Amino acid sequence: MVSFRLPGEKLAVKHRIAIAGFMHESNTFSLVPADRAAFAAQSLLFGDFLVDEWRDAHHEVGGFLEAADVEGFDPVPIVMAWATPSGPVTDDVFEEVTACIIDGLRSSRPDGLLLALHGAMVADSHPHADAEVLARLRAVLGPDFPVVVTLDLHGNISPRLVERCHAAVAYRTYPHVDQRECGRRAARLLVRMLRGEIRPCQALAKPPLIVNIMCQETSRHPMRSFLERARALEQRPGVLAASVLPGFAYADVPQMGPSIVIVTDGDAELARREANHLADELWQARDQLAVHLPEAPAAVRQALQSDRLPVVLVDCGDNVGGGSAGDGTVILGELLCQGASNSVVCLFAPSEVRECAQVGVDREVRLVVGGKVDRQHGDPIAITGRVRLVHDGTYIEREPRHGGRRVNHMGPTALVEMENGNLLVLTSQRHPPFSLGQLTCLGIQPQQKRILVVKAAIAYKAAYGPIAGTIIEVDTPGLTAVDPNRFSYRLIRRPMFPIDH
Ligand SMILES: [Zn+2]
């Protein structure tokens, strides 16, 4: 804390608040590790370098930095580590980033910490890696060091996490378009705490069910009503924050499943009672959480018959933002088989990008694309096309979009045109469809296309919803298949609805 006095003013106190982010959504069914290269390709930024990339982002870290100006504290940026969802985080990265946060706090001795976690991070040796980060912090800094945490709405959290921070607040939207505001809210809580205005305490409740990812969209019933109840709760005296996290089902860990977190001003009983109450209501709504979608052959037929364009085909089983492979070919195969035209499919295909670069623009290529990361997402497909463009794969998104990224890195990228104007976007990084910038930076006008395939569940909607003529959600196989019964869980709590019912 720095005390200073301006001429004619009373003594002012300016707090110093550390800012750090360590975020990963880990799909434990994936064999693709989140290793150091995966973080370095996206965000592994230390100190002031993180400020340059994240200050203007619609992300909680951008919100933390904005709050420094609004609330009048000195930010102490430590690290921002973020990798595309995939299999678990390797131990070396986990140890490096966690040690970096602790060393940064030790050396800068701030008054408190704003920490952006995801809540569904698994490391090789730590099934609840987010809680492990906090446990390590507490072991060094003691139980009283002020820490406020932000969480993704897909966090799978346990008491171990909630007991080790003063307050945890989650996003309120899916697609996540309120991330920056979430950061500002967290910062406001920490500042009020440091000023002695509030004494946050919190409670967690976890009903034993899976909220199907297709039922998690916050503008639709039933999630919408739960979020509205949480907002109403926050109007009650003594309630500081109410978060509803539907959770992330593609993780075989004991804490998998929804979480209700209520933060109150020193009233543990109120927090516990309201958390249990909302958890009960979620449990009562469990029968509204079933999903039935068409498989790829029927979905593509429907798409070809639709005259409300563009048609967005949602490849739910290969949801890159849920840690899937990103090179699934099930829908691409159907499109080619059924004679589609004027479509766009994006695939993770690093070696094919190199082939395209070697062959050169406007030259013909014969490639075997997709189905290479694992055996879960369809077979590789042989295609012939013409290389239209090779691009560095970096683009800027200025609007609030799921994930909150402003600077996006899909790695070196090739655009290949096949017969009938069907386009393949081949990327060197697994890249989720959160921004139309992925297409527009290559000169593609998505509104002019007949069919757009997105490898996602709900998150794509912030970008694609406004331009979609028709949306068809497709039950494709893969590491993010919509039916949880397709997965063999060993470590989750049992019984768990709907698997055991
Ligand atoms: Zn999320």
Side-chain angles (χ1 to χ4, degrees), residues 25 118 152-154 171 174 176 402:
E25 184 178 80
H118 182 287
D152 189 287
L153 181 144
H154 293 109
Y171 312 156
Y174 181 33
H176 310 325
H402 183 100

Side-chain angles (χ1 to χ4, degrees), residues 158-208:
S158 79
R160 197 162 164 247
L161 184 148
V162 170
E163 288 161 5
R164 286 171 176 76
C165 58
H166 287 90
V169 294
Y171 312 156
R172 295 166 167 174
T173 55
Y174 181 33
H176 310 325
V177 289
D178 69 322
Q179 292 179 234
R180 194 174 172 97
E181 191 225 322
C182 183
R184 290 198 304 259
R185 283 192 286 125
R188 176 99 189 116
L189 279 178
L190 182 55
V191 166
R192 291 184 66 198
M193 187 184 158
L194 293 175
R195 288 177 186 155
E197 296 170 11
I198 54 171
R199 290 184 303 119
C201 72
Q202 56 187 348
L204 168 71
K206 289 186 71 70

Side-chain angles (χ1 to χ4, degrees), residues 23 27 48-49 79 110 116-117 119-120 151 159 184 189 202 239 262 285 293 334 375 410 462 467:
M23 302 182 68
N27 182 321
D48 289 338
F49 292 103
V79 62
L117 296 173
L151 294 168
R184 290 198 304 259
L189 279 178
Q202 56 187 348
V239 177
I262 308 295
L293 303 178
E334 272 308 318
R375 302 303 311 135
M410 51 184 172
I467 66 150

